[in-house]
Amino acid sequence: MINKKLSLVAIAGATLLALSACAGGGGGDAGTTAPVEESPEFEAGTTMAELAEAGSITIGTKFDQPLFGLVGPSGEPEGFDVEIGKIIAGKLGIAPENIEWKETVSANREPFIQNGEVDIVIATYTINDERKEVVSFAGPYYMAGQSILVLADNDDITNEDDLVGQPVCSVTGSTPAAKLAEIGAVPMLTDTYSNCLEPLRSGAVVAVSTDNVILAGLAAQNEGEFKVVGEPFTQEPYGIGLAHDDTDFRMWINDVLEESYEDGSYEQAWNDTAGEILPFVEPPAVDRY
Amino acid sequence: MPVDAVFGNLDRYVESFGVTLLLLLVSGAAALVLGSIIAVMRISPIGSLRVFGTVYTEIVRNTPLALVLFFCAYVLPILGVRMGYIYFAFIGLSVYTSPFVAEALRSGINGVPIGQAEAARSLGLGFRQSVGSIILPQAFRMVIPPLINVFIALTKNTSVASGFFVFELVALGKELANAHGNAVIPVLLGVAVFYLVITVPLGIVASRLERRWVVTR
Amino acid sequence: MKGAAVLFDVPGPKARRLSLVLSVVVGLLILTGLGWLIATLAAPRPASGGLALPGMFDESRWDIFFGDPEIWGYIFGVGVANTLRAAAAAAVLALILGVLFSLLRTAKAGWIRIPTAIVLEFVRGMPVLLMMFFILLGFATGSYLAVVIALGLYNGALIGEALRAGLVSLPRGQREAALSLGMRELQSRAFIEFPQAFRQMLPIIVAQLIVLLKDTSLGYIVGYPELIRVTMNQLGSFYGNRYLFSFFIVTLVIYLAMNLLLSWFARWVARRGDSGRRGGRAAKPEETDPGLAVLKASAEARQVPQIHQ
């Protein structure tokens, strides 16, 4: 361990000298503090070795989720999921610029993992047993829960029981939408959460329901108009999706996650992104199954 | 078994099929009416109606359906129109289809040779008699096959309403595909079959009628 | 009706004056309607939480377009570029498949013709949206390939149908002459019949390609970053719901511009193609409904044996 650290320092020094000639400013990305390992070593034949060798990784994420995965005009996604991805890539020795981000909509997360279109998926991806049959999950790295967003002066709705029989907006094919149907609300479905706000304003729906972090992001973008009510009424553990049989990779990612909990990079990632709106909470224990 | 995802949800398939069918029938009827009005506007002697008809046609024909539906679902409520989202879908789909209906009507009427009108006039028939007894019956036959094609296209266009709060076949497909990640192909094939149930018979009817009725001179 | 005037008596001065008056009145009504539309949109709305939402044309809803030039780079560089990219690729694929399908459909051998017909019915009967979704999830291709393949297949089937009608409506003499010169079936098809069919059906094919461009917007369902998804989903979520209407207007204007330009180009091509030919045989430019034009060509073809006997 110590030898590794010394040699790392030596290599780091040499690389820095070499890079200083060509490197510009660097570190211009908003919130990128994920350190990049210089020459990580992995067992031959593991996915980690392949990725480190290739020097690039393809990560699937959402491009339209406030706070977690959002794409602006720069074309680079920003958000908490993105930061977690950068931490993992960093441990593989891959700099943020060499991460290829692909948009994974809810329906294509599993097919993309299965056919190798992406290496991992970090996209507010809820872990559940049915999905575990098709892909495997590292983490969970965050525990969200389904909650309710209403107009700021609506005091009639305080918890999920008040939604029964009422039209509630969510996204087609998502887990929260299925949950709404289950509790007896009337789901009104569209493509993006942002599209749910207009029906809420016009009264066509009484509430928007999805994971609490997304709702918080929506509320923050439209100050004062909406509020999140009630306690989360489900548990949505967000995990990192990867190939079903790649146990080595999964365990390694779990190690990386636990390290980031310890060394503060997780908290840093949170504070740089979602932390501007939501308070930091201790991460859940990873599930090594 | 993956196929269970389809057969276990057959009742939901039928329900969504019903929604698609409803969208087709109501929007189709409204499009027929709107399309006729637009067609008449475009040959009207009143200048501003002609201009309005042309501008309307050019704009609607060159706008993607998703944007038309967006306007109906999001902008109309701002203007004060309050109704269920399926009604907005009816409006959007019929507005989008109306220029194509107008085009089909116009082509059908154009297909009647001018000699027919001249002959009618030379016999001393007035406008209403010429059009009603001579022109329209012949135009009607020419108009039906392209109109059927327009309706086939409309059937398929109802799928775009899935993004605008209408739960029809494609929305069901998305939900089931998300819930059953290992049965994606059967689920979507099921959805496709229900669309084919409408479009294939319509296509057969159209080609039969074409063989029997469309005659050029 | 061409020359619908034959149905009316020529309007006299009174009728013309009435027509003019009505025209002005109707024109004013339409303008008033438009004015009301814009005024209502521009008015501020009360919202919950004691806020007042600014009107749709208020500066606060449009400031990013002027303040953030990067936005235009993203809209055009990613959104428009991706739309055109997918449309071009799908157009090429559709043309190739169209030729292929028409060849297969007019093959002598039944065991080629009939399965092709069934596959084509399947492809034409399915919504393009569903096909894209199907290809994305079923064959786990990327979103770009899903869009291009679905559009290429669907429009290829339609173009194939148009080409088939074009082939059928050619005078039989062309084929007979080719065969009598000693050409084989395939050569006759390739060098004599297809080029003519293509030229004849060109306006319809170009019209179908314009529809193809519009249909790239359906790529949003598979997450393809075409124009609508880029502006209304991604940027709309990034900048917030406040700008949704503005993005809608911008997207609408861009689409209208693209499609109108293409339509005018298509009409120009059609006019150029027609000017060097005798009238009659070529499909008329206003016949932009592919189905109807195919119909007419097929119908004309069925007349051929009688006329050219």
Side-chain angles (χ1 to χ4, degrees):
Chain A
M1 198 54 196
I2 300 183
N3 278 340
K4 193 171 163 195
K5 278 218 169 107
L6 276 177
S7 57
L8 275 176
V9 169
I11 297 174
T15 330
L16 260 172
L17 282 173
L19 282 177
S20 60
C22 39
D29 297 6
T32 304
T33 50
V36 180
E37 293 266 328
E38 284 307 330
S39 293
E41 303 209 338
F42 301 104
E43 230 178 275
T46 58
T47 320
M48 295 84 77
E50 277 170 40
L51 290 170
E53 179 77 28
S56 78
I57 182 173
T58 311
I59 304 185
T61 186
K62 291 274 179 77
F63 279 15
D64 55 6
Q65 307 274 258
L67 301 182
F68 276 69
L70 212 53
V71 163
S74 63
E76 292 300 311
E78 302 168 6
F80 184 57
D81 283 344
V82 173
E83 292 305 312
I84 298 284
K86 287 178 184 167
I87 291 177
I88 295 176
K91 286 283 193 290
L92 286 170
I94 301 174
E97 306 84 68
N98 294 328
I99 303 177
E100 191 189 338
W101 299 98
K102 283 205 176 160
E103 184 176 9
T104 45
V105 298
S106 294
N108 66 5
R109 285 179 293 209
E110 280 104 50
F112 273 22
I113 295 174
Q114 278 175 309
N115 85 323
E117 187 88 15
V118 296
D119 296 307
I120 55 177
V121 169
I122 315 177
T124 60
Y125 199 5
T126 309
I127 303 176
N128 68 32
D129 289 329
E130 202 175 312
R131 287 175 181 162
K132 276 188 189 166
E133 292 175 20
V134 182
V135 299
S136 66
F137 289 97
Y141 62 92
Y142 187 78
M143 187 64 77
Q146 188 169 345
S147 188
I148 308 170
L149 183 81
V150 295
L151 292 171
D153 42 20
N154 180 340
D155 294 321
D156 299 327
I157 300 198
T158 51
N159 60 35
E160 67 273 18
D161 296 324
D162 297 329
L163 295 178
V164 176
Q166 304 268 35
V168 182
C169 186
S170 195
V171 155
T172 328
S174 61
T175 318
K179 184 75 186 174
L180 284 174
E182 203 186 298
I183 63 174
V186 178
M188 303 286 282
L189 303 172
T190 180
D191 280 325
T192 320
Y193 291 112
S194 182
N195 291 353
C196 275
L197 294 178
E198 206 48 54
L200 186 56
R201 283 197 188 107
S202 74
V205 299
V206 301
V208 179
S209 182
T210 177
D211 299 342
N212 52 351
V213 289
I214 299 170
L215 295 177
L218 286 176
Q221 270 179 345
N222 301 276
E223 308 119 25
E225 233 191 306
F226 308 106
K227 63 181 180 189
V228 180
V229 294
E231 292 299 311
F233 53 93
T234 64
Q235 296 235 312
E236 309 287 339
Y238 288 167
I240 299 178
L242 59 143
H244 190 240
D245 301 317
D246 202 341
T247 321
D248 289 332
F249 196 26
R250 176 156 52 90
M251 290 307 158
W252 180 81
I253 297 183
N254 283 328
D255 293 335
V256 169
L257 284 176
E258 281 174 344
E259 269 173 49
S260 71
Y261 299 166
E262 305 283 311
D263 69 7
S265 53
Y266 177 89
E267 187 169 351
Q268 182 68 44
W270 179 266
N271 290 334
D272 286 338
T273 56
E276 294 173 18
I277 313 288
L278 294 166
F280 176 72
V281 290
E282 284 303 317
V286 303
D287 176 15
R288 294 170 187 272
Y289 60 92
Chain B
M1 265 243 318
V3 192
D4 287 341
V6 176
F7 292 108
N9 288 303
L10 211 50
D11 54 337
R12 297 191 67 193
Y13 271 100
V14 173
E15 196 185 324
S16 305
F17 175 73
V19 175
T20 298
L21 204 55
L22 185 67
L23 284 171
L24 166 66
L25 292 173
V26 175
S27 310
L32 275 177
V33 170
L34 261 178
S36 312
I37 297 178
I38 300 294
V40 167
M41 270 196 202
R42 292 190 70 168
I43 57 172
S44 158
I46 301 180
S48 48
L49 278 181
R50 259 200 326 265
V51 167
F52 180 78
T54 313
V55 168
Y56 173 92
T57 304
E58 283 302 297
I59 291 186
V60 174
R61 276 177 65 156
N62 288 305
T63 308
L65 179 56
L67 290 181
V68 174
L69 285 177
F70 178 89
F71 181 85
C72 292
Y74 289 95
V75 182
L76 286 184
I78 298 179
L79 293 172
V81 184
R82 295 252 185 278
M83 43 176 82
Y85 280 104
I86 195 162
Y87 296 102
F88 288 130
F90 290 150
I91 296 176
L93 283 169
S94 49
V95 164
Y96 183 77
T97 313
S98 59
F100 301 104
V101 169
E103 196 70 14
L105 291 175
R106 209 166 56 86
S107 303
I109 294 181
N110 274 346
V112 179
I114 195 165
Q116 299 285 308
E118 290 170 344
R121 292 288 284 159
S122 71
L123 285 176
L125 295 177
F127 176 73
R128 207 174 306 161
Q129 282 171 307
S130 313
V131 172
S133 310
I134 310 292
I135 311 291
L136 276 187
Q138 297 184 67
F140 182 73
R141 290 176 162 194
M142 296 237 10
V143 148
I144 294 290
L147 273 185
I148 295 188
N149 280 332
V150 169
F151 283 128
I152 294 178
L154 176 58
T155 310
K156 294 181 284 175
N157 284 337
T158 57
S159 56
V160 187
S162 60
F164 297 95
F165 307 106
V166 177
F167 197 81
E168 42 66 75
L169 279 168
V170 166
L172 178 68
K174 279 176 95 168
E175 186 189 308
L176 291 179
N178 193 54
H180 306 279
N182 54 348
V184 164
I185 295 196
V187 159
L188 293 181
L189 272 178
V191 173
V193 162
F194 276 96
Y195 274 105
L196 293 174
V197 160
I198 304 181
T199 53
V200 168
L202 276 181
I204 295 180
V205 167
S207 46
R208 288 268 169 79
L209 288 180
E210 165 208 317
R211 261 187 272 276
R212 277 178 44 190
W213 283 0
V214 176
V215 187
T216 53
R217 289 171 186 75
Chain C
M1 283 220 59
K2 301 185 271 282
V6 85
L7 288 170
F8 302 91
D9 291 327
V10 175
K14 253 200 202 159
R16 274 205 299 269
R17 216 180 1 244
L18 181 64
S19 181
L20 187 63
V21 165
L22 279 176
S23 183
V24 169
V25 167
V26 168
L28 282 175
L29 279 173
I30 294 176
L31 284 174
T32 319
L34 275 174
W36 172 84
L37 189 83
I38 297 182
T40 317
L41 283 177
R45 297 183 289 157
S48 81
L51 297 168
L53 293 172
M56 289 300 162
F57 300 108
D58 186 80
E59 206 198 308
S60 67
R61 293 191 191 260
W62 296 85
D63 51 10
I64 51 168
F65 294 105
F66 303 108
D68 222 341
E70 231 186 358
I71 252 196
W72 294 106
Y74 193 62
I75 292 179
F76 280 93
V78 177
V80 175
N82 277 333
T83 296
L84 292 176
R85 204 161 67 100
V92 169
L93 182 63
L95 285 172
I96 296 176
L97 284 180
V99 171
L100 185 66
F101 285 143
S102 61
L103 268 177
L104 290 177
R105 274 284 270 144
T106 52
K108 286 280 195 263
W111 60 268
I112 301 179
R113 215 178 43 236
I114 299 182
T116 315
I118 297 181
V119 166
L120 284 181
E121 274 311 305
F122 189 79
V123 166
R124 282 175 61 186
M126 219 167 49
V128 182
L129 203 67
L130 191 62
M131 228 188 290
M132 286 184 190
F133 207 47
F134 193 82
I135 295 176
L136 178 88
L137 297 185
F139 304 101
T141 60
S143 62
Y144 174 71
L145 277 180
V147 171
V148 168
I149 295 177
L151 283 176
L153 260 180
Y154 178 75
N155 289 287
L158 288 180
I159 290 179
E161 197 65 11
L163 281 177
R164 187 176 72 84
L167 278 177
V168 161
S169 71
L170 282 179
R172 277 185 23 186
Q174 296 286 314
R175 197 140 168 277
E176 288 166 356
L179 291 175
S180 73
L181 281 176
M183 287 193 191
R184 280 199 303 278
E185 168 108 22
L186 200 58
Q187 283 173 312
S188 153
R189 282 273 165 81
F191 297 118
I192 307 294
E193 300 179 57
F194 253 114
Q196 294 188 60
F198 220 93
R199 250 199 305 271
Q200 180 168 328
M201 287 295 157
L202 198 57
I204 299 155
I205 292 178
V206 176
Q208 195 58 37
L209 294 179
I210 294 178
V211 171
L212 192 155
L213 179 63
K214 265 201 305 181
D215 280 352
T216 54
S217 66
L218 300 174
Y220 77 87
I221 201 180
V222 293
Y224 182 64
E226 48 72 49
L227 184 56
I228 294 188
R229 192 173 180 88
V230 157
T231 52
M232 318 237 313
N233 275 23
Q234 292 177 2
L235 291 178
S237 300
F238 184 81
Y239 285 105
N241 183 261
R242 191 170 9 139
Y243 299 97
L244 195 59
F245 181 80
S246 321
F247 278 120
F248 167 68
I249 298 287
V250 167
T251 312
L252 183 63
V253 168
I254 296 180
Y255 257 111
L256 282 177
M258 278 198 299
N259 283 321
L260 283 173
L261 279 172
L262 270 171
S263 296
W264 287 333
F265 176 69
R267 256 173 257 180
W268 177 78
V269 164
R271 254 200 305 275
R272 253 187 43 136
D274 268 357
S275 63
R277 311 175 50 76
R278 307 168 290 149
R281 280 276 151 219
K284 300 178 189 23
E286 71 253 21
E287 217 64 273
T288 47
D289 176 43
L292 183 60
V294 164
L295 219 69
K296 290 197 125 172
S298 315
E300 276 169 27
R302 266 186 288 285
Q303 303 300 311
V304 164
Q306 292 169 339
I307 298 173
H308 287 261
Q309 208 36 60

